[in-house]
Amino acid sequence: MSQLVHEIMNRELFSLRPDESATEALGYLAALGVSAAPVVDADGAPLGVASWHDLVAPSAGELVRDRMTTPPVTIAAAEAVALAADELCRLGIHHLFVVDGRGALVGALSVLDVLSAMTGHAVRH
């Protein structure tokens, strides 16, 4: 198997801005039925990840930037799927955020995406 991350990544992304309120961000996640979203800067570069847990936890700040987890775990779009699998296992996480050569967010990769690709199943988003 010599698939690359960009061949199986999910290109449909929802992201948050660091200056959004944590309450609004939580509402977005709930409405979309997702557990977390990347937080990006004005150029589309990932700054962190805001999960449901991050947004409901007691915190001194009311903005996404005050509650997000940093740094985000990223992988280059041109990397091999096998490297993505290794990173997911090594770090014990469920998603990697995919960046292009400029560092801009271009996709997301889940454990299910990687497993599907490695076992010859169609990757569905």
Side-chain angles (χ1 to χ4, degrees):
M1 178 196 78
S2 62
Q3 285 185 300
L4 301 178
V5 168
H6 71 84
E7 297 172 318
I8 67 166
M9 70 183 188
N10 187 348
R11 289 175 167 76
E12 294 181 30
L13 292 173
F14 169 74
S15 60
L16 297 166
R17 293 183 320 267
D19 59 345
E20 289 183 276
S21 83
T23 302
E24 287 177 340
L26 186 59
Y28 300 147
L29 295 183
L32 293 170
V34 297
S35 60
V39 181
V40 299
D41 67 15
D43 295 322
L47 301 171
V49 179
S51 70
W52 181 274
H53 181 265
D54 294 330
L55 298 171
V56 299
S59 174
E62 293 304 315
L63 299 177
V64 169
R65 77 165 49 93
D66 302 323
R67 297 175 179 232
M68 68 184 181
T69 299
T70 59
V73 181
T74 62
I75 191 164
E79 290 291 355
V81 171
L83 177 64
D86 184 62
E87 284 293 289
L88 290 164
C89 290
R90 186 177 64 77
L91 297 171
I93 57 176
H94 299 113
H95 292 89
L96 294 171
F97 294 104
V98 184
V99 294
D100 64 13
R102 299 177 300 114
L105 183 69
V106 294
L109 193 67
S110 72
V111 169
L112 185 56
D113 296 333
V114 171
L115 283 173
S116 295
M118 294 181 88
T119 58
H121 291 86
V123 177
R124 297 184 188 124
H125 298 119

